[in-house]
Amino acid sequence: MKLKLDLSLRSVTARRGSSFWNWALTRLTSWIAVFCLSAFAHAASVTGVVKVKEGARYLQLPESTALFEMRPSTEEAKRNLERLADQDFYQGQGEFFGTVFLVQTVDFVGLYSLLGPWHSKQDRALVTFESYNTLSIFNPRTLGYDRVAMFDYSVAPDTGSRWKIFVSGAQSVSIATMKIERERLVLQFINLDTGAFEKPLELVRKNP
């Protein structure tokens, strides 16, 4: 598995300067902007960690022990909020009313269930989600300093049970849909030169 970015799928990577890369970057920027414009006038951008207690979700702000009950203000926010589990990271728009945080959007997330090492079923590469925004790829077939590569990534809600993941390196970016099961992770990258989906890439949880 080689991420330049391509997880052994070179066609997934769009080089900066290509026409489709420019189109994709414009669409991505517009997509993020929609979240901001769709929020209510008094909404604020908020980040924190989700805590689940007796079926209710609470938001714990950075460097704070206080918990705010998360209540959705729209059906879309309700669907996305219900997908978040204990210890997940939340970034989105909303308002505080006393001890309640009214969720207007779920923009980006960090999935606790994603953290840790995963093996590629296609080759012997090891993908480790080091944190909510950093991943590493160990490629045993590569010799030299680039045997381990580091990348930034972000996860956003997608349709159904899927998520959308954006993985970026120094010279390129990859976008994929992602479906997480207990011990299985399926990624389907988008070819940014053609807009078509690539063959699904399957990872399995590496147990200690």
Side-chain angles (χ1 to χ4, degrees), residues 35 57 72 74-85 90 103-107 109 156-160 162-163:
F35 281 118
R57 288 167 176 77
T74 67
E75 283 300 315
E76 181 179 6
K78 182 177 184 294
R79 288 193 300 269
N80 291 332
L81 186 60
E82 289 175 345
R83 301 179 64 187
L84 299 184
Y90 165 86
V103 178
Q104 296 171 5
T105 66
V106 179
D107 298 344
V109 302
D158 202 356
T159 57
R162 296 182 180 275
W163 303 92

Side-chain angles (χ1 to χ4, degrees), residues 1-205:
M1 176 180 297
K2 185 178 181 181
L3 255 181
K4 182 174 121 193
L5 293 184
D6 64 359
L7 289 163
S8 66
L9 297 173
R10 288 186 179 171
S11 58
V12 169
T13 302
R15 261 61 66 181
R16 297 187 187 277
S18 71
S19 58
F20 197 88
W21 159 258
N22 293 331
W23 174 85
L25 184 60
T26 300
R27 290 296 299 273
L28 176 58
T29 303
S30 300
W31 180 75
I32 294 174
V34 166
F35 281 118
C36 299
L37 294 175
S38 64
F40 297 154
H42 300 290
S45 180
V46 176
T47 62
V49 175
V50 176
K51 303 289 185 178
V52 179
K53 295 184 178 182
E54 298 179 351
R57 288 167 176 77
Y58 297 85
L59 181 67
Q60 182 176 352
L61 300 178
E63 301 180 2
S64 173
T65 58
L67 297 179
F68 298 86
E69 185 179 356
M70 304 177 77
R71 297 181 184 175
S73 63
T74 67
E75 283 300 315
E76 181 179 6
K78 182 177 184 294
R79 288 193 300 269
N80 291 332
L81 186 60
E82 289 175 345
R83 301 179 64 187
L84 299 184
D86 193 56
Q87 299 299 322
D88 283 352
F89 172 80
Y90 165 86
Q91 178 180 338
Q93 300 281 328
E95 293 183 81
F96 289 96
F97 297 93
T99 59
V100 172
F101 176 62
L102 188 63
V103 178
Q104 296 171 5
T105 66
V106 179
D107 298 344
F108 293 97
V109 302
L111 301 176
Y112 186 75
S113 61
L114 189 61
L115 299 181
W118 300 78
H119 267 307
S120 167
K121 294 192 71 173
Q122 282 79 357
D123 52 33
R124 295 186 298 159
L126 179 67
V127 180
T128 303
F129 291 87
E130 308 281 354
S131 68
Y132 290 135
N133 52 31
T134 303
L135 66 85
S136 65
I137 295 179
F138 171 73
N139 190 339
R141 299 176 302 173
T142 302
L143 299 178
Y145 71 93
D146 60 346
R147 201 170 190 182
V148 178
M150 302 294 297
F151 301 93
D152 295 325
Y153 78 95
S154 298
V155 175
D158 202 356
T159 57
S161 61
R162 296 182 180 275
W163 303 92
K164 197 175 292 308
I165 182 170
F166 307 90
V167 187
S168 61
Q171 301 296 325
S172 57
V173 66
S174 288
I175 304 173
T177 62
M178 178 174 67
K179 187 171 183 179
I180 306 174
E181 299 174 353
R182 288 188 178 180
E183 303 295 327
R184 183 170 172 262
L185 177 64
V186 179
L187 300 170
Q188 191 166 16
F189 283 88
I190 301 171
N191 187 314
L192 296 181
D193 291 321
T194 65
F197 280 100
E198 297 288 347
K199 182 179 178 180
L201 177 67
E202 185 172 348
L203 306 176
V204 293
R205 175 74 72 179

